[in-house]
Amino acid sequence: MLLRERTNLGSGMMVAGLSVLALVSWASWVGGAAPSALTHQETAHPHLTIYYWPFPARAHSLLSMCAVACAPCTHVHSYDRIAAVASANGGSMEGGGVGDTFAPPIVVDEDNQGFAISQSVAATLYVGQRLGFDAAVPNVPKSVQYMVDLADFLAQIPGGEGPTLIFDEELGRKLAHFHTSGRFDAWMQNIERSIIGPYYYGERVSYVDFYLNQVLKWIYQRIYRQIPGAENVFGAYPKAMGVQASVSALDVTTCPVLGSPFPLTTSFPSPDEPFSKPFLDTLANTSIFR
Amino acid sequence: MLLRERTNLGSGMMVAGLSVLALVSWASWVGGAAPSALTHQETAHPHLTIYYWPFPARAHSLLSMCAVACAPCTHVHSYDRIAAVASANGGSMEGGGVGDTFAPPIVVDEDNQGFAISQSVAATLYVGQRLGFDAAVPNVPKSVQYMVDLADFLAQIPGGEGPTLIFDEELGRKLAHFHTSGRFDAWMQNIERSIIGPYYYGERVSYVDFYLNQVLKWIYQRIYRQIPGAENVFGAYPKAMGVQASVSALDVTTCPVLGSPFPLTTSFPSPDEPFSKPFLDTLANTSIFR
């Protein structure tokens, strides 16, 4: 079921129990105490500008929180404007900021004196707090651990990160080892145990849930959906799948992000080229997905 | 000057101005409002158990904060006891915890119902808050950005991470490229601009300063101090050097950590073998350190 949007949830369920879960009105999952996030009106939310490339990837959780909260958020995705605020590209912050944001995603909060923040984990924490998605979080440092765990999981999966990866036999061997060594399962079980259910912190969605959706969608769309037999790679982790499906369902029923060229149904674009035969053959020979 | 401990600061200064800075009584840098950290007495600090290998590395900032605050901290470093709490090794938390701490460093707070947290950035935030090193921090998400920036810098330097790295010609080429491409300088300038001075947030030390000390010490001791001509690789970044020297000076004048087999003068052990000639020749040929 992972990555199917809410409108598609009526057919082809891979995990029967979750279809019911995901078809429940999404509003009930947000919890009753955040009405401003549910009215589809612009409220007192800050105006946020999110600088990121023209696909979601590391900005997915940021854009998604804005969409679900109906916050007046602008997605700026031209190279020149990103370079103007990213110090890795020589930029300093517009409006006299300190120039200590290295690379996108970069969030500028127009209603907090142009405060700027980068790094996806830190920015997700900031935007989550600004938009009220922190109400369920009892302990901020532990929430940071959960997000860094997810970022580490993404970084450690061979083929997960990097725009120029070549899906060749060597990468296939590494990905096979990631599974046969038990590392994939160890990470996912750790993530699964972190989740109370249905969301990380129970009944109410938090910024950590948005971050999980970003990372699992990315991994799935980047790698597994293109590997025969791997469609259900997250099937053994129903809590994580539940979070991912529920947050995805929120995305598509709420407000668009200004200026964004893509829908939030995609976290990371698929590689331009289909996976190579040696890559797929290597995985098939290890039988890791049977 | 980087990595010379306070006791050595009287000789061989590479940056003249900083010698005076570092020789000022360390107590004045901590700030006047945290007396419990300055009395060398056990106060109301929580008892923390820090699970990490028998060298500082990613636990350096945690151990260092405990030492400076004189908090009753125990460093547990046997493989078996670490494996018992790290889910990557099959462990679940002692005392009935949730088993969602993947790998060391792992901190268990005996005085917070055995609360457990992992990931160096998240754990540094938690311990920093528990021991009062958050008083100067105006914005927690931004402090998380600063620490993830430092972790990214460490991860991106070829040879910075990984116990099994081979310092061969290929790694030499990558390290040379990291400098000649401007990436090293772009990161360090970004870090430099993040620091108000003398500490990240001005006059008072914070957990972010401890994290910087951990990362820059690690990088220096792992790589640069063994490369002829690279001793002063951080010389162009006086604010970062100032933070590092000042935090190092705090370490050595305060309380020991129970059970820890090493002094906090070392963050990361040097490689067992000297760097290979092809590695050093590759760097020398690029003249990056002249």
Side-chain angles (χ1 to χ4, degrees):
Chain A
M1 185 166 70
L2 188 83
L3 304 170
R4 294 177 191 226
E5 298 311 323
R6 185 164 175 264
T7 50
N8 298 333
L9 284 173
S11 62
M13 293 298 98
M14 288 186 281
V15 179
L18 285 175
S19 63
V20 177
L21 180 152
L23 285 167
V24 171
S25 166
W26 62 268
S28 68
W29 297 105
V30 179
S36 67
L38 301 175
T39 57
H40 292 215
Q41 296 166 4
E42 291 198 7
T43 61
H45 287 312
H47 184 264
L48 302 174
T49 304
I50 297 173
Y51 294 82
Y52 198 71
W53 313 117
F55 46 86
R58 291 191 206 284
H60 195 137
S61 59
L62 308 172
L63 298 164
S64 182
M65 284 190 283
C66 289
V68 173
C70 276
C73 159
T74 305
H75 177 197
V76 172
H77 48 80
S78 75
Y79 174 83
D80 287 349
R81 290 195 63 192
I82 292 172
V85 296
S87 75
N89 302 85
S92 60
M93 195 51 54
E94 293 171 325
V98 292
D100 64 3
T101 46
F102 193 71
I106 295 169
V107 178
V108 176
D109 186 343
E110 316 289 354
D111 297 318
N112 185 15
Q113 302 176 302
F115 174 83
I117 190 167
S118 59
Q119 292 287 2
S120 67
V121 166
T124 298
L125 173 60
Y126 180 79
V127 172
Q129 291 180 340
R130 282 295 264 168
L131 299 184
F133 291 115
D134 61 332
V137 178
N139 185 299
V140 168
K142 190 72 179 178
S143 78
V144 171
Q145 181 211 305
Y146 289 152
M147 291 192 284
V148 179
D149 280 348
L150 289 160
D152 265 10
F153 177 54
L154 170 65
Q156 289 179 21
I157 293 183
E161 287 191 327
T164 58
L165 283 176
I166 299 168
F167 288 85
D168 58 7
E169 187 177 351
E170 183 186 350
L171 193 60
R173 275 196 298 267
K174 289 179 179 173
L175 183 58
H177 180 72
F178 193 73
H179 284 267
T180 55
S181 68
R183 190 80 171 175
F184 179 96
D185 185 59
W187 263 122
M188 282 306 303
Q189 293 291 1
N190 191 81
I191 291 165
E192 189 80 354
R193 281 190 299 271
S194 306
I195 300 167
I196 294 173
Y199 289 114
Y200 263 86
Y201 294 106
E203 296 296 324
R204 194 160 176 178
V205 71
S206 75
Y207 53 84
V208 183
D209 300 293
F210 286 92
Y211 203 81
L212 177 140
N213 183 45
Q214 166 177 307
V215 168
L216 293 198
K217 250 186 172 170
W218 175 331
I219 291 169
Y220 188 79
Q221 293 174 338
R222 169 81 163 165
I223 307 176
Y224 294 105
R225 75 168 169 185
Q226 296 161 93
I227 299 175
E231 299 84 355
N232 196 24
V233 69
F234 293 116
Y237 317 102
K239 285 186 179 178
M241 288 182 71
V243 169
Q244 191 280 321
S246 298
V247 176
S248 262
L250 297 180
D251 278 348
V252 294
T253 54
T254 44
C255 302
V257 172
L258 297 177
S260 198
F262 57 84
L264 283 166
T265 50
T266 300
S267 181
F268 197 85
S270 297
D272 293 336
E273 299 292 324
F275 287 162
S276 72
K277 190 166 183 307
F279 175 78
L280 295 173
D281 285 350
T282 307
L283 294 177
N285 288 337
T286 60
S287 306
I288 58 175
F289 301 122
R290 290 176 203 166
Chain B
M1 186 167 72
L2 189 84
L3 303 170
R4 296 177 190 225
E5 299 311 325
R6 185 162 175 266
T7 50
N8 298 331
L9 283 174
S11 62
M13 293 297 99
M14 287 185 283
V15 179
L18 285 174
S19 63
V20 177
L21 180 152
L23 285 168
V24 171
S25 166
W26 62 268
S28 69
W29 297 104
V30 178
S36 68
L38 301 175
T39 57
H40 291 216
Q41 295 165 4
E42 291 198 6
T43 61
H45 287 313
H47 184 264
L48 303 174
T49 304
I50 297 173
Y51 294 82
Y52 198 71
W53 313 117
F55 46 86
R58 291 191 206 283
H60 194 138
S61 58
L62 308 173
L63 298 164
S64 181
M65 284 190 284
C66 289
V68 174
C70 275
C73 159
T74 304
H75 177 198
V76 173
H77 47 79
S78 76
Y79 174 83
D80 286 350
R81 291 194 63 193
I82 292 172
V85 296
S87 76
N89 301 85
S92 61
M93 195 50 55
E94 293 171 324
V98 293
D100 63 2
T101 46
F102 193 71
I106 296 169
V107 178
V108 176
D109 186 342
E110 315 291 354
D111 297 319
N112 185 15
Q113 302 176 301
F115 174 83
I117 189 166
S118 59
Q119 292 287 3
S120 67
V121 166
T124 298
L125 173 59
Y126 180 78
V127 173
Q129 290 180 340
R130 281 294 264 167
L131 300 185
F133 291 115
D134 61 334
V137 178
N139 185 299
V140 168
K142 190 71 180 180
S143 78
V144 172
Q145 180 212 305
Y146 289 153
M147 290 191 285
V148 179
D149 280 347
L150 289 160
D152 265 10
F153 177 54
L154 169 64
Q156 289 179 20
I157 292 184
E161 287 190 327
T164 58
L165 284 176
I166 299 169
F167 287 86
D168 58 7
E169 187 177 350
E170 184 186 349
L171 193 59
R173 275 195 297 267
K174 289 178 179 172
L175 183 58
H177 181 71
F178 193 72
H179 283 267
T180 56
S181 69
R183 191 78 171 176
F184 180 96
D185 186 59
W187 264 121
M188 282 305 305
Q189 292 291 359
N190 191 82
I191 292 165
E192 188 80 354
R193 281 190 298 270
S194 305
I195 300 166
I196 294 173
Y199 290 114
Y200 262 87
Y201 293 106
E203 295 295 324
R204 195 160 175 179
V205 70
S206 76
Y207 53 82
V208 184
D209 300 292
F210 285 92
Y211 203 81
L212 176 141
N213 183 46
Q214 167 176 306
V215 168
L216 293 199
K217 251 185 172 169
W218 174 330
I219 291 168
Y220 188 80
Q221 293 173 338
R222 170 80 163 165
I223 307 175
Y224 293 105
R225 75 168 167 185
Q226 297 162 93
I227 299 174
E231 299 85 354
N232 196 26
V233 69
F234 293 116
Y237 317 102
K239 285 185 178 178
M241 288 182 72
V243 168
Q244 191 280 320
S246 297
V247 175
S248 263
L250 297 181
D251 278 349
V252 295
T253 53
T254 43
C255 302
V257 171
L258 296 177
S260 198
F262 56 84
L264 282 166
T265 49
T266 301
S267 181
F268 197 86
S270 296
D272 293 336
E273 299 292 324
F275 287 161
S276 74
K277 189 166 184 307
F279 175 78
L280 295 174
D281 284 351
T282 307
L283 294 176
N285 288 337
T286 61
S287 306
I288 58 175
F289 300 122
R290 292 175 201 165

